[in-house]
Amino acid sequence: MRVLLGVGGGIAAYKSAILLRLLTESGHDVRVVPTAASLEFVGRATWEALSGKPATSEVFEDVPSVEHVRLGKTADLVVVAPATADLLARAATGRADDLLTAALLTARCPVLMAPAMHTEMWEHPATRENVATLRSRGVTVLDPAHGRLTGADTGPGRLPEPEDIASAALALLDPPEPAPRVSRGGDLDGRVVVVSAGGTREPLDPVRFIGNRSTGMQGIALARAAHERGAQVVLVAANVPAARQEEAPGLSVLDVETTAELRAAVREHARAADVVVMAAAVADFRPTSVAAHKIKREGVSEQTVTLTANPDVLAELARDRLRAGQVVVGFAAETGDVTTSVLEHGRAKARRKGADLLAVNEVGDGKGFGTPDNAVTFLDRDGREVGAADGTKVAVAHALWDVVVRLAPLAGHTVRAQD
């Protein structure tokens, strides 16, 4: 795959040399486009030596190749690291005053930006609005890491580690799995499937929200796999701009933001569904009240937020069965604690929720959210283990559909009475 690696003018630019090596060692063809400011930190010779390609910065370099148009149009992925506050602003406003921003305007492939700047710059309303604008256009903007910055200050704004950026980038490059073999394909022919993906956001004020780290990658993989196996699929995507790329005949995407919106969309379409898969990370709580204006910090040393429980969407679906014979599947992203393991938490949740199948996966410390791979254990409604899968999220998706079809053949599936 052809990867365009843009490097912004921040001191973290040296880390992009490691990122370049990780991307090339993964088998990808990487071209580096540094900004003029970034060359004050890492010289052109470094990028050309590591990539084996020219590292040009301005639109008037190599004019006959029309690189300011060609580079973006021919890329399979654009990664910008570090993405400075200035670079985010120029990208959000459509500037094209150097080779990198011109390439961003012509790119029609996935774009990932990894911000790095001082905490005050990251938290400034202008930067937050620029990030929101880019995300609304489908750009993947990572959150910066929290740690030591230039000088003595510490806080959010540190460039994520190269390994984390590479993992997120390679996830965007992961091509669709080949169509299932005939021996497996077609087992969802004629069935209607609803899949939820992503993470819901509950607003605090017009600017801020309470959310989670779900990227929607596993939910998208589940929708794609069901579509490949013949199902008519509705994908309810909570804050997952990339989901729109999955739209195709037989696969429609509905965008939602809050838990209330997701619940309404899922329940509406579940009335005609043979299978409902709740893969979205749904917020358990929402602010009791939402401020009409941005909450100010001036003169305030503490801020208390009162939360109200959201409806338990999965438990409702399992209880109500909006269509006769409907199969309900849930996901449980869990962390263990000093007394209880991830699987034990999952078993208790399986019995509590009442879904036909619960996919339990451990999250945190680089597991689950935002990674190209996943590892899950499948439990039935009584907490018994009925399967497991470990691999790419597409492979996990197909494994889940295998279990659904094996445990509850959709033709003539009988719903058990609730305990």
Side-chain angles (χ1 to χ4, degrees), residues 227-286:
H227 184 250
E228 290 175 356
R229 296 168 78 142
Q232 186 86 11
V233 181
V234 176
L235 175 60
V236 180
N239 306 294
V240 190
R244 280 287 169 193
Q245 301 175 18
E246 301 299 321
E247 285 198 307
L251 198 165
S252 60
V253 178
L254 300 176
D255 294 314
V256 298
E257 181 177 359
T258 66
T259 297
E261 292 172 356
L262 180 140
R263 176 178 179 269
V266 170
R267 289 183 68 88
E268 177 186 352
H269 291 276
R271 299 182 189 282
D274 298 291
V275 187
V276 181
V277 181
M278 286 292 297
V282 179
D284 291 325
F285 298 92
R286 68 183 186 276

Side-chain angles (χ1 to χ4, degrees), residues 8 12 60 62 81 114 118 120 142 163 175 183 195 204 217 233 243 257 280 300 339 347 352 366 385 395 407 409:
F60 291 107
D62 195 10
H118 283 277
E120 294 80 4
L142 302 179
E163 293 80 6
S183 61
V195 177
L204 281 166
M217 292 167 57
V233 181
E257 181 177 359
V300 179
T339 61
R347 293 187 197 283
R352 189 169 66 249
E385 185 172 339
L407 288 182

Side-chain angles (χ1 to χ4, degrees), residues 98-119:
D98 63 8
L99 187 59
L100 177 55
T101 51
L104 285 169
L105 281 182
T106 61
R108 296 298 181 267
C109 60
V111 176
L112 182 145
M113 306 187 83
M117 63 198 74
H118 283 277
T119 300

Side-chain angles (χ1 to χ4, degrees), residues 7-53:
V7 183
I11 196 167
Y14 75 93
K15 289 187 177 182
S16 293
I18 303 171
L19 175 60
L20 169 59
R21 178 61 58 84
L22 292 170
L23 293 172
T24 55
E25 288 182 350
S26 296
H28 300 294
D29 183 10
V30 185
R31 169 74 181 268
V32 181
V33 179
T35 64
S38 77
L39 295 176
E40 298 291 332
F41 297 95
V42 180
R44 190 188 307 270
T46 298
W47 303 123
E48 294 184 344
L50 291 177
S51 68
K53 295 179 175 58

